[in-house]
Amino acid sequence: MDSPDRDTRTTGTPVGRRVILGLIGLGGLGIVAGPAAQGGLSKLLAPAQVRDPTGLLALLPLGNNFRFYSVVGSVQEKSATDYRLSVGGEVATPAEYTMAQLAQLPQTAFTQTFHCVTGWTVPDVAWSGVRLSTLLDRADPKRTATAVRFRSFDGTYTESLPIDKARGDDVIVALRMLDAPVTHDHGGPVRMYVGGQYGYKSTKWLSGIELTTQEIPGYWERRGYDLDGTIDD
């Protein structure tokens, strides 16, 4: 999830103090150079941001560009060939999908602005993938299912949605964003995108979709965030 804070635990090598200070200096240059430089800087900083235990890099003034976060400090990459997505819980037909199988399902595409709960946005992001409702229909939810829980292959992050919102046309298992396959730093090879909700609802490094009898608070909700992540008007 592109989220505003991070857990204090890390599994990767932390970013050194000198490196952080140097990159903060680059952030200042980005302000002077303008949006194009800020976009390039955002991409340059992505691997460092994901494993930065201080959270300082996420505070750089990067304009309307993505910031990158991991609640565990480092996430092992998965390739398209070894990726698997499980769908289970309160369903009649549990399933497991490879990347190739997901790509063969009906795809949808649209453009929406990404909103982080801390206030930064990325306008006009191109998203494409499989509507979550397609996977839910294939799984045949039981009558007891009222919500959906999402798991990340980082081993820690979870999120949730009530089943009616999970069926929204702009709630997708995203295979592509920004006109390219979802990169690891953006939460790939597969992530959620939940339209109309703040970014913490759009689980990165998606590994599991579970139908549940009640909505289960996710990682950030257990730390004080609203269960309903609907974007404020």
Side-chain angles (χ1 to χ4, degrees):
M1 177 210 69
D2 301 84
S3 58
D5 305 299
R6 62 177 62 242
D7 197 289
T8 55
R9 296 169 294 171
T10 60
T11 58
T13 302
V15 179
R17 179 175 176 272
R18 290 182 180 178
V19 174
I20 290 175
L21 292 176
L23 293 175
I24 289 174
L26 284 176
L29 289 176
I31 297 175
V32 175
Q38 289 174 335
L41 184 59
S42 177
K43 294 179 181 179
L44 175 67
L45 291 178
Q49 283 184 332
V50 168
R51 62 187 181 91
D52 169 26
T54 69
L56 289 176
L57 296 182
L59 302 179
L60 291 177
L62 298 176
N64 293 329
N65 294 286
F66 279 97
R67 282 69 162 167
F68 300 88
Y69 306 92
S70 164
V71 299
V72 297
S74 179
V75 181
Q76 183 176 0
E77 294 191 34
K78 287 186 181 291
S79 69
T81 55
D82 63 15
Y83 177 80
R84 298 293 185 273
L85 173 63
S86 65
V87 181
E90 296 293 307
V91 300
T93 310
E96 185 176 80
Y97 294 91
T98 64
M99 280 284 292
Q101 289 170 330
L102 289 171
Q104 290 171 357
L105 294 175
Q107 306 288 302
T108 187
F110 53 85
T111 299
Q112 280 192 8
T113 296
F114 184 92
H115 294 260
C116 180
V117 72
T118 57
W120 58 266
T121 62
V122 184
D124 303 326
V125 179
W127 301 94
S128 65
V130 182
R131 283 194 177 105
L132 179 58
S133 60
T134 297
L135 296 179
L136 298 183
D137 289 342
R138 290 169 66 91
D140 190 12
K142 298 178 181 178
R143 292 184 177 181
T144 51
T146 66
V148 184
R149 191 182 197 195
F150 308 98
R151 295 185 183 275
S152 169
F153 63 73
D154 69 3
T156 300
Y157 198 85
T158 62
E159 253 310 327
S160 66
L161 287 172
I163 200 166
D164 58 335
K165 291 189 176 181
R167 289 187 172 279
D169 288 344
D170 56 359
V171 178
I172 66 170
V173 174
L175 307 183
R176 295 178 62 85
M177 63 181 290
L178 302 171
D179 298 317
V182 181
T183 66
H184 175 73
D185 293 328
H186 278 293
V190 175
R191 64 169 292 164
M192 289 299 302
Y193 174 69
V194 182
Q197 303 269 318
Y198 287 112
Y200 67 91
K201 286 291 184 178
S202 294
T203 306
K204 296 192 297 190
W205 303 297
L206 182 67
S207 65
I209 296 170
E210 178 188 2
L211 277 292
T212 57
T213 58
Q214 59 183 353
E215 189 171 2
I216 301 171
Y219 181 90
W220 289 113
E221 286 89 355
R222 297 194 302 273
R223 289 158 175 79
Y225 279 40
D226 291 336
L227 190 60
D228 182 358
T230 301
I231 295 168
D232 297 329
D233 294 329

